[in-house]
């Protein structure tokens, strides 16, 4: 059975494993003070065209979100998130466990707008309520949608006017930036958000997210937060070597383009046979709405999640592609689907 | 310059990298539900001869300590630790950050005794003070000493009598158990402690510690704690593959034996030329007390920490060996030391 | 200007001040070990007809909520609350600050039903999400409604079936139990909920809430939690004397009956002239929907909150009565309202 | 039996109860926005001769310590305290429960010196350790000693040089400032410390501590912290009325002088018959070292704590006097002691 369940079913891109092999016996300093990490950070800053950001390599998305957000907020400050936001629903209350409330808003497409933010601000007026201070967005979102440049610029302006921090969860940032529809590039981000992270785990690495802290006031003493939360790896080289490999040329982007291309193949075929989608998702996650009978047949040969019941006869499923998705598997899936429809 | 600074200067044992290579494109479930993790856990249970323990794979020592201890304690309960304990001094207040006080006691050798514990218990009598509930020990300790079986049995009995949990930090458990002096084996531990972890990072893995929860009452819902603290890796296979490799035969122990043997070579030579040690350390960390003049010369060719000033002319240094330490480097160090002494 | 803003605008019932006077120079033990507190607890247990509950006296509602809920929950467990619940909106994230997420549900009347609870349970399925564990209800609710016996029995049964704790915020419990519509009595509560508190501050005391912990498993070591959160008053007698006075006869209930009677007078008159209410509230808080022009006139002579805009010409206001509300003020308010309507 | 156990055995000074009586039925705003609190704050600022401080009224010492310290520190920052410090030993880990480590140092007299502080700073060098950031001192200390002006000036200068905050726990500040030996006055404090509190509970109030935040950077949004930790009383007037009464003239100081005078009477007599003291304590707590046989006899008629065993035949006891201590009880104690010695 071939799995489209997620983008972390396989190991790492072979170039990454090779890099681990080649450097394996070099002695290096621990806890992120190794030369591989230094080089990775330099490559990343180069790609961003921004020298005055801080870059830290961490193990995973939940870890990155909880350390960054709890480092940025004072105890009574809260984060604003879409109700579909990963921190709100799928991180076991990790943010609340650091003491901070998440103020959720309902959205149609997983994306926050200035209207959402202003609504939250209006409802929070004094010290009997938490103080909204950070806006959490995901790009791509948890339901595959992406932010366009003008949307992000509006959010950014709104945050600055209201003394809010703007934080972007980039677990799938590669796929978002490499979407055919995207008009954002990596170098735009440091100008528009206060901090964001670049997901490695879901784009070819074994493990690793690169947190970029753009706002200087948030940079101080960040390694203390990391150590206190258990995120400083003794062999920080493991992260450094991987991000060095992903960003010393354009491997990171190539892998995301492949994932998007594979999703696009499926999306186009599903559209062409007339099915709709739960949401407009020009990235590596798609959510077609299919007849339950078809879903049952596909489930025999392919792995995926049934995401949401739509009505008594249809459900939305989630299909995810990745750097490792094989085109032949995609073609087989399409063929099988069409055959079942005949 | 060859480094004896620590046991995490290199990558992983080649067998581990090969295992990552070989399994790389197999699709597996995420978050530790992969077959590699299952197999690793079975191998580990086999080595312990204990089926009813829970085993969880985590990324590093601080992460393991903070998640385990905070999961085991209620809010007002405290941990007892030697003042040299890693959690007390070198984890940036990670335990306190989860809300728990550490009650420290001074020791001569980094090891806790029943007398230490009883002293703490006597001093904590009512609800104006924290309630001591967990005893934290490290084996080997932060200064290289190890626990002998009778010592651990006494601690274990004391803890049971006093309703205390006994937790062993095993960041360097391999070296401790494989010490020539050790009369403890891995299979003794589940009977004597309530939880412990087996350090992979410092014994051949790229990353990874295996937490073993022996007491049934502590096992419930542990994965919730892991997820909430950011410790569930999407590609849990990274940890599973490594521990599977370390424990499918005796690789873990062989690597520790090598590290100990290398430390022993240096220890014996230093003894034989008449120098003393800060502490009796039959494991892979040794702390010889050397003339400052000698230290200055050795520092030109070897990396190590000057641990503690002893008097105006002598200091203790820390030398650490590992699975990766080359015998030729050890011999060169010895030779250089002797040459300087002539 | 006479205030109907809240039920804590005045000091304490004179009998309470007299009791403070009379006992003032008696020497007593500190931190709640005084005889007044012991006697208060005995009176309370007598009124409840339940000897095996634990009773603790605390300073205020937010303090009581945060200490009780954080004591009852493990780190990854969450509370379920109506979105109008005090803990969700008006306690500055106090529960989240202790590490716990609140799962909110929308209600029409501020009251939770089994359907609400079941919906939350269905949505929380694994360790990537928090684990719902405690149901928080307020009686009377934040919008004046009260729970009837059958409703509470249903909630109670649902919680027991689903291994959930049921916690009742009784900041205004006196008013709820003494409502003309109520079929619940104080002695019903220990059988139906796992813990609840009896609000003193809003019913005649200067300060003080009596937390009743009914479920034995939640009782252990509770004073440690109180001390750790700063809730053990050195002069615990201040709380003990007040609750002794409120419960040594029926003063507590008499005060609540007065508050309800005063609200009833206003409610009936407002109804009789044809205005509607935001919610059905048979307790000491009422939320009439009035023309904005009338509100503007009343605001000149009376203090109250404009609660919610209903449409361009009408708003709901909140009127609160208390043990201290003077009947002449109520009658004057009614008269003024009617005069404005003529 | 007359108790010298502590300074919170009685209720409040009669003037305070009278003030509560007189104002009882005035309607006032809640949560500290009442006129009594405003007036109390103005009186306090007047006594300090400092207008730009923030003053907040809280319920008790542990509550004040935990809210202030957790508001002032970032997550990885730590407090330095004497090992006798109240926060280190007698607050059930309240500071750690907010996430912060306390770095303790041994002292002979309960007082910190610049040498203590510098020692801690030298031992904390990087992100693997907490960052010392706040110095906690008590005046008077937990063992009755007091800070002299030059000592406090030295601490203050040391803190400023090292970017440390200086916080004074003033649970017994009245007794310290009114000691015959003291050369400090209330108006010195805002110039020398960053924040401190003035204890009401142990000097004539039913309840209440006045926190003074001197450093502007620490003042922002402090009421959010108070509300979140359950410290904003609905009837904040209870605190306001008391501090207004204590500081509208010199009642606060008169009460402390009385307590000190009573302690002085006992101290002088004990000295004159040749007994020593555990520590030099020119405040309302004294710790004479007495024969166990004498202690046993006194215990039959007076309440006090046996503080510490000195040798097989002697122990130190703690005697505490207060605003409420009767001179006749003191004289009787002295007489009884002398009679037993004859």
């Amino acid at each position: 059975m071939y799995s489209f369940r997620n983008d972390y079913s396989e190991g790492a891109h072979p170039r990454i494993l090779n890099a681990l092999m080649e450097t394996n016996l070099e002695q290096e300093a621990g806890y992120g003070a190794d030369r591989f990490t230094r080089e990775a950070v330099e490559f990343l800053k180069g790609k961003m065209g921004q020298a005055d950001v801080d870059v830290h390599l961490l193990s995973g998305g939940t870890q990155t979100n909880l350390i960054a957000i709890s480092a940025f907020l004072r105890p009574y400050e809260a984060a604003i998130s879409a109700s579909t936001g990963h921190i709100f629903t799928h991180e076991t209350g990790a943010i609340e466990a650091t003491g901070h409330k998440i103020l959720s808003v309902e959205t149609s497409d997983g994306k926050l707008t200035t209207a959402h933010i202003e609504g939250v601000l209006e409802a929070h007026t004094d010290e009997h309520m938490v103080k909204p201070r950070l806006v959490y967005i995901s790009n791509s979102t948890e339901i595959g949608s992406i932010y366009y440049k003008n949307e992000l610029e509006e959010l950014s302006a709104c945050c600055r006017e209201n003394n809010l921090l703007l934080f972007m969860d980039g677990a799938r940032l590669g796929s978002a930036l490499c979407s055919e529809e995207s008009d954002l590039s990596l170098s735009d981000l440091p100008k528009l958000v206060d901090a964001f992270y670049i997901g490695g785990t879901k784009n070819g690495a074994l493990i690793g997210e690169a947190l970029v802290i753009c706002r200087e006031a948030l940079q101080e003493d960040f390694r203390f937060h990391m150590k206190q939360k258990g995120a400083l790896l003794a062999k920080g080289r493991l992260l450094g070597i991987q991000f060095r490999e992903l960003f010393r040329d354009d491997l990171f982007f190539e892998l995301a383009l492949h994932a998007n291309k594979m999703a696009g193949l499926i999306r186009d075929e599903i559209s062409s046979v007339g099915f709709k989608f739960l949401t407009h998702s020009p990235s590596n996650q798609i959510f077609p709405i299919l007849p339950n009978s078809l879903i049952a047949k596909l489930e025999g040969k392919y792995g995926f999640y049934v995401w949401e019941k739509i009505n008594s006869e249809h459900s939305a499923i989630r299909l995810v592609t990745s750097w490792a998705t094989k085109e032949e598997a995609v073609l087989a899936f399409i063929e099988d689907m069409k055959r079942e429809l005949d």
Side-chain angles (χ1 to χ4, degrees), chain A:
Chain A
M1 181 177 305
Y2 195 83
S3 173
F4 294 105
R5 272 210 189 83
N6 56 52
D7 32 19
Y8 43 83
S9 291
E10 290 88 359
H13 189 270
R15 267 181 53 190
I16 283 178
L17 291 187
N18 286 334
L20 290 172
M21 285 280 198
E22 284 162 15
T23 59
N24 192 42
L25 291 182
E26 295 182 35
Q27 289 193 315
E28 269 295 333
Y31 298 107
D34 60 279
R35 77 170 174 91
F36 311 115
T37 297
R38 278 195 304 279
E39 292 170 16
V41 169
E42 286 316 302
F43 285 134
L44 266 166
K45 289 183 176 179
K47 295 285 178 195
M48 289 186 276
Q50 195 84 18
D52 59 356
V53 297
D54 265 11
V55 179
H56 300 281
L57 305 183
L58 295 101
S59 296
T62 299
Q63 183 182 79
T64 306
N65 285 332
L66 80 90
I67 295 177
I69 293 174
S70 70
F72 298 163
L73 298 183
R74 300 194 67 201
Y76 55 90
E77 293 177 339
I80 303 173
S81 167
S83 63
T84 47
H86 206 257
I87 57 167
F88 190 66
T89 55
H90 282 92
E91 300 187 356
T92 320
I95 301 304
E96 290 89 349
T98 68
H100 301 282
K101 193 183 190 74
I102 303 172
L103 302 163
S104 71
V105 293
E106 298 297 319
T107 70
S108 58
D109 57 2
K111 296 198 284 182
L112 288 182
T113 66
T114 58
H116 293 128
I117 294 169
E118 285 158 6
V120 172
L121 292 177
E122 279 162 26
H124 289 82
T125 54
D126 67 29
E127 70 266 24
H128 292 255
M129 287 164 267
V130 292
K131 195 169 189 173
R133 171 70 170 138
L134 180 143
V135 173
Y136 167 92
I137 57 176
S138 308
N139 195 26
S140 64
T141 70
E142 294 76 7
I143 50 176
S145 52
I146 67 170
Y147 282 89
Y148 302 97
K149 194 166 182 175
N150 68 320
E151 293 173 335
L152 194 59
E153 286 170 343
E154 281 172 25
L155 281 180
S156 185
C158 171
C159 287
R160 277 161 206 197
E161 277 161 31
N162 291 291
N163 194 29
L164 297 171
L165 302 170
L166 184 55
F167 176 74
M168 181 184 281
D169 178 329
R172 293 188 174 97
L173 185 61
S175 175
L177 295 179
C178 295
S179 166
E180 284 191 355
E181 291 191 5
S182 177
D183 54 358
L184 268 177
S185 69
L186 188 58
S187 59
D188 293 323
L189 296 183
K191 300 175 191 77
L192 294 173
V193 304
D194 295 297
F196 68 102
Y197 78 84
I198 303 169
T201 306
K202 291 169 179 163
N203 197 33
L206 280 171
I207 180 181
E209 321 294 311
L211 174 68
V212 182
I213 308 181
C214 314
R215 184 188 282 230
E216 195 186 344
L218 303 179
Q219 295 173 353
E220 190 185 9
D221 288 338
F222 196 79
R223 282 172 59 85
F224 284 81
H225 294 285
M226 290 175 65
K227 177 63 187 169
Q228 189 181 63
K229 296 290 196 295
L232 271 195
L233 297 184
K235 292 181 181 167
R237 65 194 290 150
L238 170 61
L239 300 169
I241 291 164
Q242 293 184 92
F243 275 94
R244 189 180 66 151
E245 198 60 30
L246 286 169
F247 285 95
R248 71 177 170 83
D249 51 24
D250 287 323
L251 181 59
F252 179 82
F253 302 101
E254 290 162 11
L255 297 182
L257 282 167
H258 175 80
N260 287 349
K261 187 179 161 201
M262 293 301 104
L265 288 177
I266 307 178
R267 189 192 307 112
D268 292 347
E269 292 291 338
I270 287 177
S271 284
S272 73
V273 297
F275 293 124
K276 302 291 182 200
F277 293 81
L278 186 67
T279 182
H280 178 70
S281 59
S283 64
N284 74 321
Q285 297 187 93
I286 57 175
F287 300 78
I289 297 170
L290 305 181
N292 292 338
S293 56
L294 175 59
I295 292 171
K297 285 170 189 158
L298 291 170
E299 278 179 326
K301 296 184 68 174
Y302 300 95
F304 53 82
Y305 287 103
V306 179
W307 194 255
E308 192 179 316
K309 183 182 168 177
I310 301 299
N311 56 39
S312 61
E313 292 182 10
H314 294 80
S315 299
I317 67 169
R318 183 179 84 157
L319 298 171
V320 189
T321 57
S322 81
W323 64 274
T325 302
K326 292 178 187 160
E327 186 158 354
E328 67 222 47
V330 165
L331 298 176
F333 177 87
I334 291 168
E335 196 175 346
D336 282 330
M337 178 186 70
K338 287 182 166 171
R339 184 183 314 124
E340 298 297 345
L341 292 174
D342 285 343

